[in-house]
């Protein structure tokens, strides 16, 4: 069974940093591209970043480019999102999701909540 | 970026009714279109990929169709567990983009 478990969320002041993790199990992690997708409270879904299976290709949403860094450790079956210079508009539930065949998101974690507030 | 416009924003359906949700892309996306269902307090679940392919385990009352810029999700025989918010998403070009969502309620 595919499982994605996010962690690392919490309350952080504007301008500070936070690092999210997503532990994967139930599939060969190193074979799949992975993504971070967020959802602000009561709002829709916003793709944040993608990383290919071998980390060769990395993409970011314009809203986070230069502030967030996606990475992965295939030996640890773990996906990361390093977030710096956090803003109030980054407040959201952050999901990790496994890439599907046609750039859809076939499996999602339960999410980890990031709240940026003073 | 490719804009995805969903309609309607919300709708209510009776038990057993058939409903449709539309998704319009701002440019052609060659069927790289997925549909998700999100129930309150839960993560989104993939229903349909490549416009009309049913994800494993999804009931056959869900179906997708369309081409070019226009796509639709049809739910036949509405059930109580079908309540939730539905999103379309294009995977044709980066950045992947989602529609604004359609809230479906049981009448």
């Amino acid at each position: 069974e595919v499982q994605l478990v996010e962690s690392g969320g919490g309350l952080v002041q504007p301008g500070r940093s936070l690092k999210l993790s997503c532990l994967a199990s139930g599939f060969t992690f190193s074979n799949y591209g992975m993504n971070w997708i967020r959802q602000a409270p009561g709002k829709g879904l916003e793709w944040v970043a993608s990383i290919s299976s071998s980390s060769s290709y990395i993409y970011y949403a314009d809203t986070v480019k230069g502030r967030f860094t996606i990475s992965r450790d295939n030996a640890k079956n773990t996906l990361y999102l390093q977030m710096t210079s956090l803003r109030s508009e980054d407040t959201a539930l952050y999901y990790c999701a496994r890439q599907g065949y046609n750039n859809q998101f076939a499996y999602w974690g339960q999410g980890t909540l990031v709240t940026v507030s003073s | 970026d490719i804009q995805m416009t969903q309609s309607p924003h919300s709708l209510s359906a009776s038990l057993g009714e058939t409903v449709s949700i539309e998704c319009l892309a701002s440019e052609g996306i060659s069927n790289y279109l997925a549909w998700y269902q999100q129930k309150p307090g839960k993560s989104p679940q993939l229903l349909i990929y490549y416009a009309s392919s049913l994800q494993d385990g999804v009931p056959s009352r869900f179906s997708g169709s369309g081409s070019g810029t226009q796509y639709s999700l049809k739910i036949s025989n509405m059930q109580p567990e079908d309540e939730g918010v539905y999103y379309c998403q294009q995977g044709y070009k980066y950045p992947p983009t989602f529609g604004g969502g359609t809230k479906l309620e049981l009448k």
Side-chain angles (χ1 to χ4, degrees):
Chain A
E1 178 194 6
V2 172
Q3 283 200 314
L4 299 168
V5 180
E6 302 93 336
S7 60
L11 174 63
V12 61
Q13 292 179 328
R16 303 298 290 266
S17 300
L18 201 62
K19 187 172 185 176
L20 307 183
S21 300
C22 171
L23 179 62
S25 61
F27 65 101
T28 304
F29 182 70
S30 58
N31 285 351
Y32 290 88
M34 296 294 296
N35 298 265
W36 288 100
I37 297 162
R38 67 184 181 184
Q39 187 170 34
K43 302 297 184 182
L45 300 166
E46 180 190 16
W47 170 81
V48 173
S50 292
I51 186 168
S52 63
S53 58
S54 61
S55 304
S56 298
Y57 300 97
I58 289 175
Y59 303 93
Y60 296 100
D62 285 345
T63 52
V64 307
K65 199 174 295 182
R67 300 188 299 122
F68 289 12
T69 302
I70 188 172
S71 62
R72 65 189 295 160
D73 185 336
N74 286 345
K76 295 182 178 180
N77 289 348
T78 303
L79 174 72
Y80 302 101
L81 185 68
Q82 177 70 54
M83 305 184 292
T84 64
S85 303
L86 282 162
R87 307 167 180 167
S88 57
E89 54 264 37
D90 295 319
T91 293
L93 187 62
Y94 284 73
Y95 296 102
C96 70
R98 196 185 87 174
Q99 198 98 345
Y101 295 116
N102 302 112
N103 289 333
Q104 81 277 6
F105 308 113
Y107 296 93
W108 300 61
Q110 84 289 347
T112 187
L113 181 62
V114 173
T115 303
V116 183
S117 175
S118 54
Chain B
D1 298 0
I2 297 176
Q3 306 303 314
M4 306 299 291
T5 304
Q6 276 183 245
S7 61
H9 292 294
S10 64
L11 74 161
S12 60
S14 303
L15 204 63
E17 188 177 344
T18 295
V19 300
S20 287
I21 299 169
E22 308 297 320
C23 185
L24 178 66
S26 59
E27 62 184 84
I29 57 172
S30 297
N31 289 4
Y32 280 64
L33 191 283
W35 290 98
Y36 303 86
Q37 176 196 60
Q38 187 176 31
K39 298 182 181 181
K42 300 293 186 181
S43 308
Q45 176 191 0
L46 177 66
L47 300 174
I48 301 283
Y49 62 95
Y50 203 53
S52 60
S53 296
L54 195 66
Q55 175 71 349
D56 290 346
V58 175
S60 58
R61 63 178 180 275
F62 291 91
S63 62
S65 63
S67 63
T69 62
Q70 297 185 325
Y71 298 86
S72 63
L73 173 71
K74 186 171 77 171
I75 307 170
S76 304
N77 187 22
M78 172 77 181
Q79 297 297 304
E81 60 266 31
D82 298 337
E83 284 191 311
V85 180
Y86 291 81
Y87 296 94
C88 62
Q89 174 249 325
Q90 67 81 19
Y92 183 62
K93 282 184 183 177
Y94 273 92
T97 45
F98 292 87
T102 296
K103 186 174 183 179
L104 174 62
E105 296 178 321
L106 185 64
K107 197 181 293 182

PDB file of all heavy atoms in Angstrom, chain B residues 30-54:
ATOM      1  N   SER B  30      -4.265  18.501 -24.840  1.00  0.00           N
ATOM      2  CA  SER B  30      -4.035  17.152 -25.371  1.00  0.00           C
ATOM      3  C   SER B  30      -4.442  16.031 -24.429  1.00  0.00           C
ATOM      4  O   SER B  30      -3.745  15.019 -24.307  1.00  0.00           O
ATOM      5  CB  SER B  30      -2.552  16.986 -25.764  1.00  0.00           C
ATOM      6  OG  SER B  30      -2.218  17.881 -26.784  1.00  0.00           O
ATOM      7  N   ASN B  31      -5.540  16.215 -23.746  1.00  0.00           N
ATOM      8  CA  ASN B  31      -6.112  15.207 -22.833  1.00  0.00           C
ATOM      9  C   ASN B  31      -5.299  14.977 -21.569  1.00  0.00           C
ATOM     10  O   ASN B  31      -5.573  14.037 -20.821  1.00  0.00           O
ATOM     11  CB  ASN B  31      -6.322  13.867 -23.550  1.00  0.00           C
ATOM     12  CG  ASN B  31      -7.460  13.905 -24.548  1.00  0.00           C
ATOM     13  OD1 ASN B  31      -8.065  14.956 -24.768  1.00  0.00           O
ATOM     14  ND2 ASN B  31      -7.758  12.786 -25.155  1.00  0.00           N
ATOM     15  N   TYR B  32      -4.302  15.852 -21.294  1.00  0.00           N
ATOM     16  CA  TYR B  32      -3.544  15.732 -20.038  1.00  0.00           C
ATOM     17  C   TYR B  32      -4.372  16.382 -18.912  1.00  0.00           C
ATOM     18  O   TYR B  32      -3.988  17.394 -18.326  1.00  0.00           O
ATOM     19  CB  TYR B  32      -2.187  16.398 -20.162  1.00  0.00           C
ATOM     20  CG  TYR B  32      -1.153  15.560 -20.871  1.00  0.00           C
ATOM     21  CD1 TYR B  32      -1.313  15.211 -22.211  1.00  0.00           C
ATOM     22  CD2 TYR B  32      -0.019  15.112 -20.209  1.00  0.00           C
ATOM     23  CE1 TYR B  32      -0.377  14.441 -22.871  1.00  0.00           C
ATOM     24  CE2 TYR B  32       0.931  14.340 -20.868  1.00  0.00           C
ATOM     25  CZ  TYR B  32       0.742  14.009 -22.196  1.00  0.00           C
ATOM     26  OH  TYR B  32       1.675  13.246 -22.848  1.00  0.00           O
ATOM     27  N   LEU B  33      -5.499  15.740 -18.625  1.00  0.00           N
ATOM     28  CA  LEU B  33      -6.473  16.308 -17.719  1.00  0.00           C
ATOM     29  C   LEU B  33      -6.847  15.257 -16.681  1.00  0.00           C
ATOM     30  O   LEU B  33      -7.167  14.107 -17.027  1.00  0.00           O
ATOM     31  CB  LEU B  33      -7.715  16.755 -18.503  1.00  0.00           C
ATOM     32  CG  LEU B  33      -8.809  17.613 -17.850  1.00  0.00           C
ATOM     33  CD1 LEU B  33      -9.704  16.795 -16.935  1.00  0.00           C
ATOM     34  CD2 LEU B  33      -8.221  18.788 -17.083  1.00  0.00           C
ATOM     35  N   ALA B  34      -6.784  15.652 -15.427  1.00  0.00           N
ATOM     36  CA  ALA B  34      -7.140  14.766 -14.328  1.00  0.00           C
ATOM     37  C   ALA B  34      -8.257  15.381 -13.512  1.00  0.00           C
ATOM     38  O   ALA B  34      -8.416  16.614 -13.471  1.00  0.00           O
ATOM     39  CB  ALA B  34      -5.927  14.508 -13.435  1.00  0.00           C
ATOM     40  N   TRP B  35      -9.024  14.519 -12.867  1.00  0.00           N
ATOM     41  CA  TRP B  35     -10.087  14.944 -11.948  1.00  0.00           C
ATOM     42  C   TRP B  35      -9.827  14.354 -10.568  1.00  0.00           C
ATOM     43  O   TRP B  35      -9.445  13.184 -10.447  1.00  0.00           O
ATOM     44  CB  TRP B  35     -11.448  14.462 -12.438  1.00  0.00           C
ATOM     45  CG  TRP B  35     -11.945  15.142 -13.672  1.00  0.00           C
ATOM     46  CD1 TRP B  35     -11.855  14.691 -14.949  1.00  0.00           C
ATOM     47  CD2 TRP B  35     -12.647  16.389 -13.736  1.00  0.00           C
ATOM     48  NE1 TRP B  35     -12.442  15.584 -15.812  1.00  0.00           N
ATOM     49  CE2 TRP B  35     -12.942  16.638 -15.097  1.00  0.00           C
ATOM     50  CE3 TRP B  35     -13.052  17.328 -12.782  1.00  0.00           C
ATOM     51  CZ2 TRP B  35     -13.616  17.773 -15.520  1.00  0.00           C
ATOM     52  CZ3 TRP B  35     -13.720  18.462 -13.198  1.00  0.00           C
ATOM     53  CH2 TRP B  35     -14.003  18.684 -14.552  1.00  0.00           C
ATOM     54  N   TYR B  36     -10.053  15.165  -9.542  1.00  0.00           N
ATOM     55  CA  TYR B  36      -9.865  14.754  -8.158  1.00  0.00           C
ATOM     56  C   TYR B  36     -11.134  15.034  -7.365  1.00  0.00           C
ATOM     57  O   TYR B  36     -11.852  15.985  -7.638  1.00  0.00           O
ATOM     58  CB  TYR B  36      -8.708  15.521  -7.501  1.00  0.00           C
ATOM     59  CG  TYR B  36      -7.388  15.380  -8.227  1.00  0.00           C
ATOM     60  CD1 TYR B  36      -7.078  16.233  -9.280  1.00  0.00           C
ATOM     61  CD2 TYR B  36      -6.481  14.394  -7.870  1.00  0.00           C
ATOM     62  CE1 TYR B  36      -5.873  16.097  -9.961  1.00  0.00           C
ATOM     63  CE2 TYR B  36      -5.273  14.256  -8.544  1.00  0.00           C
ATOM     64  CZ  TYR B  36      -4.984  15.111  -9.584  1.00  0.00           C
ATOM     65  OH  TYR B  36      -3.796  14.974 -10.256  1.00  0.00           O
ATOM     66  N   GLN B  37     -11.328  14.208  -6.344  1.00  0.00           N
ATOM     67  CA  GLN B  37     -12.399  14.423  -5.375  1.00  0.00           C
ATOM     68  C   GLN B  37     -11.760  14.684  -4.028  1.00  0.00           C
ATOM     69  O   GLN B  37     -10.836  13.967  -3.631  1.00  0.00           O
ATOM     70  CB  GLN B  37     -13.283  13.173  -5.280  1.00  0.00           C
ATOM     71  CG  GLN B  37     -14.377  13.244  -4.228  1.00  0.00           C
ATOM     72  CD  GLN B  37     -14.936  11.853  -3.930  1.00  0.00           C
ATOM     73  OE1 GLN B  37     -14.227  10.946  -3.503  1.00  0.00           O
ATOM     74  NE2 GLN B  37     -16.220  11.675  -4.181  1.00  0.00           N
ATOM     75  N   GLN B  38     -12.246  15.694  -3.328  1.00  0.00           N
ATOM     76  CA  GLN B  38     -11.767  15.968  -1.978  1.00  0.00           C
ATOM     77  C   GLN B  38     -12.954  16.046  -1.032  1.00  0.00           C
ATOM     78  O   GLN B  38     -13.831  16.903  -1.195  1.00  0.00           O
ATOM     79  CB  GLN B  38     -10.952  17.259  -1.911  1.00  0.00           C
ATOM     80  CG  GLN B  38     -10.310  17.470  -0.544  1.00  0.00           C
ATOM     81  CD  GLN B  38      -9.415  18.694  -0.484  1.00  0.00           C
ATOM     82  OE1 GLN B  38      -9.649  19.680  -1.162  1.00  0.00           O
ATOM     83  NE2 GLN B  38      -8.367  18.613   0.333  1.00  0.00           N
ATOM     84  N   LYS B  39     -12.962  15.165  -0.053  1.00  0.00           N
ATOM     85  CA  LYS B  39     -13.988  15.193   0.975  1.00  0.00           C
ATOM     86  C   LYS B  39     -13.493  16.034   2.138  1.00  0.00           C
ATOM     87  O   LYS B  39     -12.275  16.185   2.321  1.00  0.00           O
ATOM     88  CB  LYS B  39     -14.326  13.766   1.407  1.00  0.00           C
ATOM     89  CG  LYS B  39     -14.901  12.938   0.265  1.00  0.00           C
ATOM     90  CD  LYS B  39     -15.272  11.547   0.724  1.00  0.00           C
ATOM     91  CE  LYS B  39     -15.818  10.753  -0.450  1.00  0.00           C
ATOM     92  NZ  LYS B  39     -16.229   9.374  -0.062  1.00  0.00           N
ATOM     93  N   PRO B  40     -14.422  16.594   2.947  1.00  0.00           N
ATOM     94  CA  PRO B  40     -14.016  17.475   4.043  1.00  0.00           C
ATOM     95  C   PRO B  40     -12.989  16.836   4.967  1.00  0.00           C
ATOM     96  O   PRO B  40     -13.173  15.703   5.420  1.00  0.00           O
ATOM     97  CB  PRO B  40     -15.339  17.726   4.772  1.00  0.00           C
ATOM     98  CG  PRO B  40     -16.377  17.569   3.721  1.00  0.00           C
ATOM     99  CD  PRO B  40     -15.888  16.475   2.822  1.00  0.00           C
ATOM    100  N   GLY B  41     -11.900  17.556   5.203  1.00  0.00           N
ATOM    101  CA  GLY B  41     -10.865  17.092   6.112  1.00  0.00           C
ATOM    102  C   GLY B  41      -9.982  15.992   5.565  1.00  0.00           C
ATOM    103  O   GLY B  41      -9.171  15.424   6.308  1.00  0.00           O
ATOM    104  N   LYS B  42     -10.127  15.686   4.269  1.00  0.00           N
ATOM    105  CA  LYS B  42      -9.356  14.607   3.662  1.00  0.00           C
ATOM    106  C   LYS B  42      -8.472  15.126   2.535  1.00  0.00           C
ATOM    107  O   LYS B  42      -8.674  16.235   2.031  1.00  0.00           O
ATOM    108  CB  LYS B  42     -10.295  13.529   3.105  1.00  0.00           C
ATOM    109  CG  LYS B  42     -11.190  12.887   4.151  1.00  0.00           C
ATOM    110  CD  LYS B  42     -10.398  12.076   5.152  1.00  0.00           C
ATOM    111  CE  LYS B  42     -11.307  11.331   6.106  1.00  0.00           C
ATOM    112  NZ  LYS B  42     -10.540  10.554   7.119  1.00  0.00           N
ATOM    113  N   SER B  43      -7.524  14.298   2.132  1.00  0.00           N
ATOM    114  CA  SER B  43      -6.676  14.633   0.989  1.00  0.00           C
ATOM    115  C   SER B  43      -7.443  14.395  -0.302  1.00  0.00           C
ATOM    116  O   SER B  43      -8.354  13.567  -0.346  1.00  0.00           O
ATOM    117  CB  SER B  43      -5.426  13.751   1.001  1.00  0.00           C
ATOM    118  OG  SER B  43      -4.766  13.799   2.232  1.00  0.00           O
ATOM    119  N   PRO B  44      -7.057  15.101  -1.358  1.00  0.00           N
ATOM    120  CA  PRO B  44      -7.667  14.826  -2.663  1.00  0.00           C
ATOM    121  C   PRO B  44      -7.380  13.399  -3.112  1.00  0.00           C
ATOM    122  O   PRO B  44      -6.341  12.828  -2.783  1.00  0.00           O
ATOM    123  CB  PRO B  44      -6.979  15.842  -3.583  1.00  0.00           C
ATOM    124  CG  PRO B  44      -6.525  16.935  -2.675  1.00  0.00           C
ATOM    125  CD  PRO B  44      -6.148  16.243  -1.402  1.00  0.00           C
ATOM    126  N   GLN B  45      -8.329  12.855  -3.876  1.00  0.00           N
ATOM    127  CA  GLN B  45      -8.183  11.502  -4.417  1.00  0.00           C
ATOM    128  C   GLN B  45      -8.318  11.569  -5.927  1.00  0.00           C
ATOM    129  O   GLN B  45      -9.258  12.198  -6.438  1.00  0.00           O
ATOM    130  CB  GLN B  45      -9.263  10.597  -3.829  1.00  0.00           C
ATOM    131  CG  GLN B  45      -9.264   9.183  -4.403  1.00  0.00           C
ATOM    132  CD  GLN B  45     -10.486   8.376  -4.015  1.00  0.00           C
ATOM    133  OE1 GLN B  45     -11.364   8.838  -3.307  1.00  0.00           O
ATOM    134  NE2 GLN B  45     -10.564   7.151  -4.497  1.00  0.00           N
ATOM    135  N   LEU B  46      -7.390  10.942  -6.632  1.00  0.00           N
ATOM    136  CA  LEU B  46      -7.452  10.911  -8.092  1.00  0.00           C
ATOM    137  C   LEU B  46      -8.592  10.021  -8.553  1.00  0.00           C
ATOM    138  O   LEU B  46      -8.700   8.864  -8.140  1.00  0.00           O
ATOM    139  CB  LEU B  46      -6.125  10.408  -8.659  1.00  0.00           C
ATOM    140  CG  LEU B  46      -6.048  10.259 -10.179  1.00  0.00           C
ATOM    141  CD1 LEU B  46      -6.139  11.609 -10.864  1.00  0.00           C
ATOM    142  CD2 LEU B  46      -4.752   9.542 -10.579  1.00  0.00           C
ATOM    143  N   LEU B  47      -9.447  10.566  -9.414  1.00  0.00           N
ATOM    144  CA  LEU B  47     -10.567   9.806  -9.967  1.00  0.00           C
ATOM    145  C   LEU B  47     -10.298   9.383 -11.412  1.00  0.00           C
ATOM    146  O   LEU B  47     -10.509   8.237 -11.787  1.00  0.00           O
ATOM    147  CB  LEU B  47     -11.838  10.656  -9.955  1.00  0.00           C
ATOM    148  CG  LEU B  47     -12.356  11.174  -8.627  1.00  0.00           C
ATOM    149  CD1 LEU B  47     -13.535  12.116  -8.872  1.00  0.00           C
ATOM    150  CD2 LEU B  47     -12.760  10.030  -7.721  1.00  0.00           C
ATOM    151  N   ILE B  48      -9.902  10.354 -12.221  1.00  0.00           N
ATOM    152  CA  ILE B  48      -9.758  10.185 -13.668  1.00  0.00           C
ATOM    153  C   ILE B  48      -8.423  10.784 -14.082  1.00  0.00           C
ATOM    154  O   ILE B  48      -8.045  11.868 -13.588  1.00  0.00           O
ATOM    155  CB  ILE B  48     -10.878  10.934 -14.414  1.00  0.00           C
ATOM    156  CG1 ILE B  48     -12.261  10.439 -14.008  1.00  0.00           C
ATOM    157  CG2 ILE B  48     -10.673  10.855 -15.931  1.00  0.00           C
ATOM    158  CD1 ILE B  48     -12.682   9.123 -14.601  1.00  0.00           C
ATOM    159  N   TYR B  49      -7.711  10.107 -14.976  1.00  0.00           N
ATOM    160  CA  TYR B  49      -6.500  10.677 -15.554  1.00  0.00           C
ATOM    161  C   TYR B  49      -6.551  10.524 -17.068  1.00  0.00           C
ATOM    162  O   TYR B  49      -7.333   9.735 -17.591  1.00  0.00           O
ATOM    163  CB  TYR B  49      -5.236  10.025 -14.974  1.00  0.00           C
ATOM    164  CG  TYR B  49      -5.116   8.543 -15.247  1.00  0.00           C
ATOM    165  CD1 TYR B  49      -4.387   8.078 -16.330  1.00  0.00           C
ATOM    166  CD2 TYR B  49      -5.717   7.611 -14.405  1.00  0.00           C
ATOM    167  CE1 TYR B  49      -4.265   6.726 -16.585  1.00  0.00           C
ATOM    168  CE2 TYR B  49      -5.615   6.258 -14.648  1.00  0.00           C
ATOM    169  CZ  TYR B  49      -4.885   5.814 -15.744  1.00  0.00           C
ATOM    170  OH  TYR B  49      -4.782   4.468 -15.991  1.00  0.00           O
ATOM    171  N   TYR B  50      -5.757  11.306 -17.742  1.00  0.00           N
ATOM    172  CA  TYR B  50      -5.750  11.345 -19.203  1.00  0.00           C
ATOM    173  C   TYR B  50      -7.167  11.511 -19.751  1.00  0.00           C
ATOM    174  O   TYR B  50      -7.558  10.873 -20.708  1.00  0.00           O
ATOM    175  CB  TYR B  50      -5.056  10.122 -19.783  1.00  0.00           C
ATOM    176  CG  TYR B  50      -4.525  10.340 -21.182  1.00  0.00           C
ATOM    177  CD1 TYR B  50      -3.688  11.410 -21.470  1.00  0.00           C
ATOM    178  CD2 TYR B  50      -4.888   9.489 -22.228  1.00  0.00           C
ATOM    179  CE1 TYR B  50      -3.213  11.618 -22.745  1.00  0.00           C
ATOM    180  CE2 TYR B  50      -4.416   9.692 -23.511  1.00  0.00           C
ATOM    181  CZ  TYR B  50      -3.581  10.760 -23.766  1.00  0.00           C
ATOM    182  OH  TYR B  50      -3.112  10.967 -25.035  1.00  0.00           O
ATOM    183  N   ALA B  51      -7.897  12.368 -19.116  1.00  0.00           N
ATOM    184  CA  ALA B  51      -9.239  12.811 -19.501  1.00  0.00           C
ATOM    185  C   ALA B  51     -10.336  11.785 -19.281  1.00  0.00           C
ATOM    186  O   ALA B  51     -11.455  12.153 -18.888  1.00  0.00           O
ATOM    187  CB  ALA B  51      -9.270  13.268 -20.961  1.00  0.00           C
ATOM    188  N   SER B  52     -10.060  10.497 -19.535  1.00  0.00           N
ATOM    189  CA  SER B  52     -11.145   9.518 -19.481  1.00  0.00           C
ATOM    190  C   SER B  52     -10.766   8.176 -18.861  1.00  0.00           C
ATOM    191  O   SER B  52     -11.602   7.265 -18.833  1.00  0.00           O
ATOM    192  CB  SER B  52     -11.674   9.270 -20.897  1.00  0.00           C
ATOM    193  OG  SER B  52     -10.653   8.778 -21.729  1.00  0.00           O
ATOM    194  N   SER B  53      -9.531   8.041 -18.364  1.00  0.00           N
ATOM    195  CA  SER B  53      -9.101   6.776 -17.768  1.00  0.00           C
ATOM    196  C   SER B  53      -9.433   6.753 -16.286  1.00  0.00           C
ATOM    197  O   SER B  53      -9.063   7.671 -15.545  1.00  0.00           O
ATOM    198  CB  SER B  53      -7.594   6.576 -17.967  1.00  0.00           C
ATOM    199  OG  SER B  53      -7.288   6.471 -19.337  1.00  0.00           O
ATOM    200  N   LEU B  54     -10.124   5.699 -15.872  1.00  0.00           N
ATOM    201  CA  LEU B  54     -10.575   5.584 -14.492  1.00  0.00           C
ATOM    202  C   LEU B  54      -9.441   5.046 -13.617  1.00  0.00           C
ATOM    203  O   LEU B  54      -8.843   4.007 -13.926  1.00  0.00           O
ATOM    204  CB  LEU B  54     -11.786   4.646 -14.440  1.00  0.00           C
ATOM    205  CG  LEU B  54     -12.641   4.644 -13.188  1.00  0.00           C
ATOM    206  CD1 LEU B  54     -13.346   5.982 -13.014  1.00  0.00           C
ATOM    207  CD2 LEU B  54     -13.652   3.506 -13.249  1.00  0.00           C
TER     208      LEU B  54
END
